[in-house]
Amino acid sequence: MTPFAGSPIVVGVNPALAALVPLTAASLAVAIGAPRLLFAYADPSRYVVEEHPDGTIRHAGVSPDALDDGWRAVEADLRQRLTTVLGESSVPWEFRFLAGRPDRALTHLARAVDAAAIVVGTRAPGTGAHLREMLEGSVAMHLATHQHRPVLTVPLTVVDWKDTASAWDR
């Protein structure tokens, strides 16, 4: 187990950046005395060419016919949006552009920097996201069951439990 005090936190983000995820991670970092936050997006349309000891990677596009610089716009947009959301955060932060499966990429980064925990948001609302999660599984679930660090899952939608049917209600 990596001690919380004095250890960084890895935060998974995506292009649909929900402000609640970085704000929750920043609040947690202040509460536990984390020295820095490492925000990361793993692009599934790219693959890892080389992994470095600090958790950074060199990556390339899966499709040889696609233009290979579109990822730069995604990275720049996420950096700008994180800067806007975090404002004058008291916790230093970095952004890492990763490649491949998000759960594996976040696990590699957390291992490389010896993170105390990984913070991710829940799935986006909507039928398409729900179907994708049923087929592929959620990133939070994969992280919680395939690596040893604590995973904080930030809910992105309000659930009214009285409107939710479960097996216990039958």
Side-chain angles (χ1 to χ4, degrees), residues 1-16:
M1 182 178 131
T2 301
F4 279 93
S7 298
I9 298 171
V10 168
V11 187
V13 295
N14 62 40

Side-chain angles (χ1 to χ4, degrees), residues 26-41:
S27 178
L28 176 63
V30 169
I32 66 172
R36 66 185 169 140
L37 292 166
L38 288 109
F39 292 96
Y41 168 62

